[in-house]
Amino acid sequence: MNKFYALLLLLFSTSVQATEFKQCVHLLHRASFGLDSTHLNRCLQQADYKASVSDLMLRPRNFDSIKAPKFAENILRKPKKNSAQIKTERKVYRAELHKGRGALKNGWFKEMLITDDPFLEKMVLFWHNHFTSSLQKVKQPALIYQQHQLIRKYALGNFAELTHAIIEDPAMLIYLDNQANKKSEPNENLARELLELFTLGEGNYTDNDVKEMARALTGYSLGKNLQFKFKKRIHNNSQKQLFGQKGDFNAHDMLDIILAQEATSIFIVHKLWLEFIGYHPDAKEVKRLAKVFRQNHYEIFPLMTALLNSPFFTDAQVRGTMFKSPIEIIIGTLRRFNYLSFDPQTGVRYAIRLGQNLFDPPNVKGWPKGKTWINANTLLLRKTFLNRLTREQAMQQISNQLFKSPAITGTLEEQMIKTLLPLPACMEPATNSFEALQDILQHPLYQLK
Amino acid sequence: MNRRTLLKQMVLHSLAFPLALEAKNLLAAPLAVNSKRLILIELKGGNDGLNTVVPYQDPNYYKLRPNISVDKNAVLALSPELALHPSLLDLKDIFDRHELAIIQGVGYPDPNRSHFRSIDIWDTASSSHQYLDRGWLTTFNKEPLGLIKGVVLGGDYGPLTDMPRGVIKINNLKQFLQQSKKFQGQIYKSGKNEALHHILKTETEIRSSAEVLRQYISNRDSLAFKFPRSTFGNQMRVVTELSNSSVGASLYKVSLGSFDTHVNQSKKHAALLKELSQGIAIMRKNLMQSGQWDNTLIMTYSEFGRRAAENANKGSDHGTAAPHFVLGGKVKGGLYGTYPSLSSLDGNGDLIYTTDFRSMYKSVVNEWFQVSSPLVEQFPSLHIL
């Protein structure tokens, strides 16, 4: 009997340990920016996978204490057309805009680079690609910053609250032209994207629903200081109807009706599935997760807990089958080697060349993602970037990056492969560890997560 | 596990077949030299059409533009009503040889005046309120032949966005070749991993393209007619050399700009038009010499024209319709379409288009390449070839 239990214990302990390491690799690739020594060790130290997920997701978060950076304090005033010094004023205005834009993008990049809360940052990226706006159109860095802070606050908070807040967000109102949405002349842009891209998804509403929502959104506009202002005079306060309900609804009431539809929860879960699990969402599992979402009153945290613990996420077949986005490959590599002093502006520029311009998605649908990240040009650029990076001084101290853990065995090279690639790989033996590192970063699997 | 043995075994996998096909394509490439090519010149920023093809007898023109109108005595007359900006001397010459088609009033309904949105519309041949993802050149019913189908030398992929394979974007050819040297790669197994397969396929594409380009570099003759050493000049030079080589690509894109002349337009615009005109002329001379001019079609495009009235800064703001140039050995030169009226502008004070840009594209698709694309079918043909 003792022998039996001993065997069971042995089996249990080895199987838990082995699963833990590979599952940590997968979890951190998908829900973080890849492995970094702090997070890998934390992940491995937890009692089981569920606890590892919890540890990654749970961090003390306090958003109230964040002070706005200088560029974000004020709205930049466009010089008046009849101004005597229009030329100089215009120059100054453009310079300020340019500075503010740079500060925003570099700031976000830096935040992702040094963060202790990479899971939150992944969620912030996701929600920015969901509730899209662009600096190009909105222009004011202060307003984009305001939206960014809003998204950050609710990224792991409540989706319903986030959506309610976003329809009064100045950057969003500008981006989707809602200032031009008046009772006399409705502009359907915000209403349409709200239904199509932000909540229900195509096929779950009619053109008439868009019209009703647009009517409800009339007057949701901005004051002279570019902050939210409800303009009663241009608001259409007639009866509205949506999904069989009729009444004196304002935009928030309409939104509540939309959020009450099962389709909304399914649409959001579907999107999160594509973001974290990859392809082929399973209809039944999506429904189950959508139910979790609704039962928790649209709290994102319990949904993500369920998703990251879903057998569809932990399935070994899923590992290493998604493409790393430009930000993921740049930030991920830098974090892996603890290269936190890397110039954010350079990082932002590489990401732009690779197709991911922070705060400037190509259109309201967001970055196209998936396969479109990789073509002959971008793949070449990624590899060139990685090659250049490995030759930098700061990257050459790889021996310091060795993870001292019983879970990772083998030669330095084997350890590097295990902690850098999402899947096991065989490689030609290199002459030295530096060459091995270069080879690993050039390996096609390094592009995947 | 012995890594070398495993590596040898890995050679026998899915990539072996595509590589064999590509070797075949490389051999087939010389046959592609005489096939047709399209060279797109993107006039980035919105070219001022009114000062490019000038309605020099229309009093409205001078009323709308007291400061920036082109000098009546300097223009190059094409007809009793229209003339070219004096910088376009070489294009006038090509027009006189009946090889330049000037398409007037090119635009589209419900015009958008945002750079980003409007160039998207032109790149994807969408309607003003449609959002399409792929470049219009990727929507043909027949894929262009050859390993390298398209080469982008300036700006972004634009009309070639999301071509499934065969498009390379080279800002700097030398750099591309240097960087791709590191791809003398190992071969890996992809199995059922679609993402990995895509990466491996793209790597192969880079290697093969680089190989083809390296051959062109080592075999190229220097051109008889030299291009100026400028960004645009270099782009045009590479396109000309590639057109004369066995690389066989049929789609090229170069970019000139910025034409976004909001302030103090006259000098800037004159210089840009001169660059455009001279660049095209030098390209034409070289291609005539190599016998490739009859296989070549050059087309300009831009996100929009500019407003009819000048602005307060001796420049012009974002507008709508503008004329564009289509030229080549087989083009039936002349003036096409109708000049937009300067007396009946739209509600914004902008020109109303008279030729939908998709008609211009239709000539490329149907008349030149003799293929079809759903995006252009319903528009009237221009019959310029």
Side-chain angles (χ1 to χ4, degrees):
Chain A
M1 220 30 169
N2 275 343
K3 262 196 190 157
F4 175 74
Y5 282 122
L7 192 66
L8 203 64
L9 194 66
L10 184 67
L11 268 166
F12 180 73
S13 58
T14 45
S15 68
V16 165
Q17 238 191 0
T19 313
E20 281 259 24
F21 178 74
K22 283 185 181 163
Q23 289 195 314
C24 282
V25 171
H26 178 60
L27 178 65
L28 293 175
H29 268 96
R30 297 287 173 98
S32 177
F33 291 107
L35 272 61
D36 62 70
S37 47
T38 318
H39 285 89
L40 179 61
N41 287 333
R42 278 178 81 143
C43 186
L44 292 170
Q45 278 159 19
Q46 307 307 314
D48 56 22
Y49 176 71
K50 200 164 170 208
S52 293
V53 171
S54 192
D55 174 71
L56 181 64
M57 291 179 63
L58 250 163
R59 291 292 149 87
R61 291 176 184 118
N62 179 1
F63 301 109
D64 301 317
S65 61
I66 298 174
K67 184 178 177 293
K70 211 164 193 315
F71 71 83
E73 283 172 351
N74 301 306
I75 298 295
L76 299 169
R77 291 286 159 203
K78 225 179 166 177
K80 294 210 167 84
K81 283 195 179 148
N82 50 17
S83 159
Q85 283 106 351
I86 181 112
K87 250 187 170 171
T88 6
E89 284 182 14
R90 219 192 220 136
K91 241 185 173 176
V92 169
Y93 172 67
R94 265 187 239 156
E96 290 291 298
L97 267 183
H98 185 76
K99 236 177 29 180
R101 279 197 275 252
L104 260 178
K105 296 185 194 214
N106 298 346
W108 191 6
F109 186 93
K110 183 87 185 185
E111 185 62 45
M112 289 188 276
L113 183 57
I114 63 176
T115 188
D116 243 339
D117 198 353
F119 179 62
L120 174 69
E121 293 304 323
K122 291 295 288 273
M123 295 305 292
V124 168
L125 269 168
F126 173 79
W127 291 116
H128 257 293
N129 208 40
H130 179 79
F131 291 114
T132 48
S133 296
S134 75
L135 245 182
Q136 268 162 23
K137 182 158 182 192
V138 174
K139 293 205 166 59
Q140 297 286 345
L143 295 182
I144 291 288
Y145 180 75
Q146 191 178 338
Q147 188 189 78
H148 181 69
Q149 289 307 104
L150 176 73
I151 287 178
R152 190 170 278 278
K153 182 174 172 189
Y154 287 104
L156 279 167
N158 190 292
F159 172 72
E161 281 176 42
L162 174 54
T163 315
H164 276 286
I166 214 85
I167 62 173
E168 294 191 1
D169 174 69
M172 184 57 77
L173 293 171
I174 295 174
Y175 185 63
L176 291 177
D177 308 305
N178 210 56
Q179 292 168 281
N181 187 15
K182 326 178 196 159
K183 180 163 63 177
S184 55
E185 220 184 306
N187 179 306
E188 291 179 5
N189 211 2
L190 176 57
R192 190 184 310 117
E193 308 306 356
L194 186 61
L195 269 56
E196 181 182 337
L197 299 173
F198 298 168
T199 55
L200 293 159
E202 255 185 277
N204 294 315
Y205 59 90
T206 65
D207 260 337
N208 213 47
D209 296 333
V210 174
K211 287 194 164 69
E212 294 285 304
M213 190 69 209
R215 278 191 215 118
L217 279 167
T218 48
Y220 283 67
S221 186
L222 302 180
K224 286 218 169 93
N225 59 355
L226 297 185
Q227 286 304 290
F228 176 73
K229 185 177 183 178
F230 179 68
K231 293 188 171 162
K232 209 167 169 193
R233 263 192 313 118
I234 57 172
H235 175 68
N236 180 329
N237 54 10
S238 64
Q239 292 267 304
K240 319 273 181 329
Q241 54 179 356
L242 192 64
F243 293 118
Q245 296 186 49
K246 205 172 180 185
D248 250 330
F249 301 142
N250 64 27
H252 291 288
D253 301 321
M254 298 281 271
L255 196 50
D256 279 332
I257 299 172
I258 290 169
L259 289 164
Q261 307 302 309
E262 191 196 9
T264 302
S265 59
I266 289 178
F267 182 67
I268 302 298
V269 168
H270 188 99
K271 257 193 133 170
L272 284 163
W273 186 296
L274 293 175
E275 177 80 14
F276 288 97
I277 302 180
Y279 317 101
H280 317 303
D282 178 87
K284 219 170 137 195
E285 180 71 350
V286 167
K287 262 197 151 183
R288 179 186 80 85
L289 292 169
K291 200 169 178 203
V292 169
F293 202 20
R294 288 191 316 278
Q295 281 171 339
N296 281 279
H297 311 289
Y298 281 115
E299 287 291 331
I300 299 163
F301 197 96
L303 168 62
M304 289 309 296
T305 307
L307 192 148
L308 294 177
N309 277 297
S310 162
F312 287 87
F313 179 80
T314 57
D315 181 3
Q317 297 288 323
V318 159
R319 294 174 199 164
T321 58
M322 285 184 73
F323 298 98
K324 286 181 184 163
S325 69
I327 285 292
E328 281 170 339
I329 198 161
I330 298 170
I331 299 263
T333 310
L334 295 170
R335 286 174 66 89
R336 172 62 181 81
F337 294 98
N338 214 41
Y339 190 174
L340 306 183
S341 58
F342 187 81
D343 174 39
Q345 191 174 59
T346 311
V348 166
R349 289 214 175 115
Y350 264 112
I352 293 175
R353 288 170 71 191
L354 287 174
Q356 191 168 18
N357 191 345
L358 293 175
F359 291 120
D360 272 316
N363 59 52
V364 65
K365 288 200 226 159
W367 294 301
K369 314 185 129 207
K371 222 193 241 189
T372 59
W373 288 134
I374 306 284
N375 57 46
N377 190 58
T378 56
L379 185 55
L380 189 50
L381 189 58
R382 285 173 175 229
K383 294 194 156 214
T384 310
F385 165 77
L386 292 169
N387 212 20
R388 275 205 197 126
L389 205 57
T390 54
R391 283 187 265 127
E392 289 203 21
Q393 283 282 33
M395 292 283 282
Q396 302 220 3
Q397 303 129 26
I398 42 174
S399 52
N400 298 338
Q401 312 311 320
L402 244 195
F403 301 139
K404 308 257 190 281
S405 167
I408 316 168
T409 51
T411 62
L412 173 55
E413 240 179 85
E414 284 164 352
Q415 289 193 35
M416 284 199 284
I417 292 175
K418 278 188 190 156
T419 57
L420 283 166
L421 300 178
L423 290 172
C426 276
M427 301 189 59
E428 275 270 308
T431 27
N432 58 54
S433 57
F434 179 65
E435 227 185 71
L437 175 64
Q438 288 196 306
D439 287 346
I440 293 169
L441 294 187
Q442 295 297 312
H443 195 288
L445 279 174
Y446 193 71
Q447 302 295 327
L448 304 176
K449 58 173 180 175
Chain B
M1 163 76 83
N2 185 324
R3 286 182 195 164
R4 285 189 207 266
T5 324
L6 188 64
L7 200 64
K8 282 198 188 129
Q9 286 178 12
M10 283 178 180
V11 178
L12 307 162
H13 82 99
S14 54
L15 273 192
F17 290 101
L19 277 175
L21 277 171
E22 272 144 26
K24 246 173 129 188
N25 271 339
L26 283 174
L27 293 172
L31 293 172
V33 176
N34 290 316
S35 66
K36 296 176 178 169
R37 70 187 65 80
L38 169 70
I39 300 169
L40 285 172
I41 303 181
E42 181 192 15
L43 307 177
K44 238 171 130 66
N47 177 40
D48 184 22
L50 263 177
N51 279 7
T52 305
V53 179
V54 184
Y56 67 117
Q57 304 283 35
D58 189 340
N60 285 313
Y61 172 67
Y62 301 97
K63 264 194 233 152
L64 289 162
R65 296 177 159 211
N67 289 296
I68 66 169
S69 56
V70 183
D71 179 5
K72 195 172 185 175
N73 299 312
V75 295
L76 310 166
L78 298 167
S79 75
E81 295 85 33
L82 297 175
L84 284 178
H85 186 290
S87 289
L88 301 173
L89 190 57
D90 290 310
L91 285 186
K92 168 75 166 62
D93 174 63
I94 301 175
F95 182 81
D96 289 340
R97 293 169 194 273
H98 310 292
E99 291 173 358
L100 169 60
I102 299 178
I103 325 290
Q104 303 170 73
V106 188
Y108 55 95
D110 250 330
N112 188 296
R113 292 167 189 75
S114 143
H115 286 296
F116 304 100
R117 182 62 196 123
S118 197
I119 197 62
D120 266 352
I121 291 167
W122 278 80
D123 283 341
T124 59
S126 74
S127 302
S128 185
H129 299 291
Q130 239 185 338
Y131 287 85
L132 298 178
D133 297 315
R134 307 181 52 164
W136 66 278
L137 290 174
T138 70
T139 64
F140 298 173
N141 64 332
K142 280 194 215 144
E143 204 180 71
L145 294 170
L147 176 63
I148 300 180
K149 305 173 200 295
V151 184
V152 175
L153 288 146
D156 62 13
Y157 284 89
L160 286 157
T161 304
D162 279 354
M163 180 83 101
R165 69 201 124 255
V167 174
I168 36 174
K169 184 162 168 304
I170 331 171
N171 292 346
N172 181 332
L173 185 54
K174 265 201 191 140
Q175 207 182 66
F176 175 79
L177 292 176
Q178 241 173 20
Q179 289 168 356
S180 54
K181 266 198 194 141
K182 300 181 175 84
F183 278 65
Q184 304 326 309
Q186 319 206 325
I187 302 175
Y188 306 102
K189 208 168 159 193
S190 60
K192 284 197 230 126
N193 189 334
E194 290 171 30
L196 181 57
H197 184 73
H198 180 72
I199 304 263
L200 296 173
K201 228 174 58 168
T202 312
E203 286 192 355
T204 308
E205 196 185 308
I206 295 173
R207 275 203 301 277
S208 328
S209 307
E211 202 29 63
V212 171
L213 289 172
R214 240 173 243 123
Q215 285 181 26
Y216 133 69
I217 287 257
S218 56
N219 294 331
R220 66 181 169 176
D221 303 314
S222 48
L223 298 169
F225 305 94
K226 306 278 180 223
F227 286 91
R229 281 181 154 279
S230 62
T231 312
F232 182 64
N234 286 333
Q235 291 179 30
M236 294 290 270
R237 175 181 55 82
V238 175
V239 171
T240 310
E241 287 175 348
L242 286 173
S243 300
N244 287 338
S245 76
S246 59
V247 166
S250 31
L251 307 166
Y252 296 91
K253 175 181 176 269
V254 299
S255 173
L256 176 61
S258 162
F259 282 86
D260 194 22
T261 50
H262 287 281
V263 181
N264 287 333
Q265 169 172 319
S266 301
K267 238 183 172 175
K268 266 188 256 178
H269 195 221
L272 283 168
L273 289 178
K274 191 170 179 199
E275 231 193 316
L276 175 68
S277 179
Q278 288 183 342
I280 290 177
I282 297 170
M283 176 181 268
R284 176 181 171 275
K285 279 203 207 124
N286 281 304
L287 291 178
M288 285 206 69
Q289 194 181 65
S290 59
Q292 291 300 323
W293 181 234
D294 279 356
N295 296 331
T296 304
L297 192 71
I298 300 176
M299 185 171 94
T300 66
Y301 71 100
S302 195
E303 55 261 58
F304 34 66
R306 302 189 86 77
R307 300 194 68 182
E310 66 185 36
N311 64 21
N313 299 102
K314 303 219 175 97
S316 53
D317 298 324
H318 300 178
T320 52
H324 281 291
F325 302 127
V326 183
L327 56 157
K330 290 280 176 65
V331 169
K332 291 193 286 197
L335 289 163
Y336 289 80
T338 329
Y339 205 85
S341 161
L342 283 180
S343 46
S344 49
L345 302 169
D346 74 5
N348 268 307
D350 281 313
L351 300 171
I352 301 177
Y353 84 100
T354 54
T355 310
D356 194 295
F357 72 99
R358 284 155 291 185
S359 285
M360 214 168 69
Y361 287 4
K362 192 175 184 180
S363 292
V364 173
V365 179
N366 293 162
E367 296 169 34
W368 183 240
F369 285 123
Q370 286 162 351
V371 294
S372 68
S373 160
L375 296 174
V376 301
E377 290 319 302
Q378 78 224 66
F379 296 92
S381 304
L382 295 177
H383 304 295
I384 57 179
L385 284 156

